[in-house]
Each structure stands twice: as structure tokens, then as C-alpha cells.
Amino acid sequence: MPTFKIVVSDPETRKAYQLEVDQSKALFLIRKKIGDEVDLSPIGLIGYTVKITGGTDKDGFPMHPDFEGTVKKKVLLSEPPCYHPERKGQRRKKTIRGNTISPDIVQINCKVVKKGEKPLEELVPGKEKKE
């Protein structure tokens, strides 16, 4: 079964934590859109509410908040997100995903809106530093 990589950013500490969650445990995220607030208690982050800010599909194409659905489209972009022009007026045709999470999405980016009792360092298994 494929997995989601959920990247949870904490605006207060300015740190990001990455969780790998099996899609069968994270079915509650399917059909959610960019900007939705979601409770992450079902995946072990008890008391944490996050706001979905974006994501990436299995081919590496980013999600765009202005395009509805789960489809992949080629669109002409002139500003962020998904394109950062070097000069004023510069445009480029880019492939992007819609703003809805589907099983094709691999990475979901979100930021903490409401904190739980325990800090994220305790709840998220991190990489140990070797000395």
C-alpha cells in the first residue's frame, strides 16, 4: 500500500516534522482541499489541528490552490505558487495538480493551527543524531 509523507510545520518553533503514514490509516485526508483544517488525532498527533497548505503528486507535480479537483493540467503561470518568475511579466506553461488530495498525492504539506498537550518532538519519531 502506498504511503503519504505528511510534512507538519510549526510556525512558533519554525521547524518541520515529516511523518510517513500508510494511506489506509490516512483515508480521512482523501478529498480534503488546500486550506481545509484537519484533526490529525487518527494518525497519532493527538490534539493537533493543521491547515493543508499544499502537496506533491507521485510524478513531482505541485498542487495549486486555484484549480479545483484532482486533475493534472498544463497552465500558463506568471506568479507564485508553482512558478517564480525571474523578471516582471515573464510567464511559463507548467504542469500542476488540482487543489484536492487524491490517492495519487504522495506528499502533503501542512502547518499547525492548534497545538496538542505534548510537543511535536515527542510525538514524531525523528532521526537520531550520531556523535
Side-chain angles (χ1 to χ4, degrees):
M1 191 79 183
T3 61
F4 280 134
K5 286 184 183 174
I6 301 175
V7 179
V8 181
S9 299
D10 189 359
E12 289 180 12
T13 61
R14 301 184 60 83
K15 289 186 178 181
Y17 303 92
Q18 184 172 329
L19 290 162
E20 287 204 26
V21 180
D22 195 33
Q23 276 190 4
S24 61
K25 294 179 183 175
L27 286 175
F28 66 96
L29 290 172
I30 305 278
R31 310 297 297 163
K32 298 288 184 193
K33 294 184 176 187
I34 292 177
D36 288 352
E37 292 189 4
V38 180
D39 181 30
L40 292 184
S41 295
I43 60 171
L45 299 179
I46 298 167
Y48 279 86
T49 303
V50 297
K51 181 178 182 180
I52 299 172
T53 57
T56 309
D57 73 351
K58 62 185 178 188
D59 299 320
F61 296 117
M63 294 172 68
H64 198 286
D66 294 338
F67 293 93
E68 294 291 323
T70 61
V71 296
K72 205 184 297 188
K73 290 182 179 181
K74 276 196 151 222
V75 294
L76 188 64
L77 297 174
S78 61
E79 58 187 22
C82 303
Y83 178 62
H84 300 274
E86 296 174 6
R87 296 184 304 261
K88 185 177 179 184
Q90 192 174 9
R91 301 182 301 174
R92 175 170 273 167
K93 204 166 200 176
K94 304 273 290 192
T95 303
I96 59 163
R97 274 275 177 185
N99 65 354
T100 307
I101 295 174
S102 69
D104 292 334
I105 300 297
V106 175
Q107 178 178 327
I108 300 169
N109 304 326
C110 49
K111 69 177 181 179
V112 175
V113 175
K114 181 182 163 225
K115 288 190 162 214
E117 292 179 12
K118 292 185 178 180
L120 278 171
E121 291 93 17
E122 292 179 19
L123 296 173
V124 177
K127 294 181 181 176
E128 298 295 325
K129 290 186 179 180
K130 295 181 181 177
E131 292 183 26

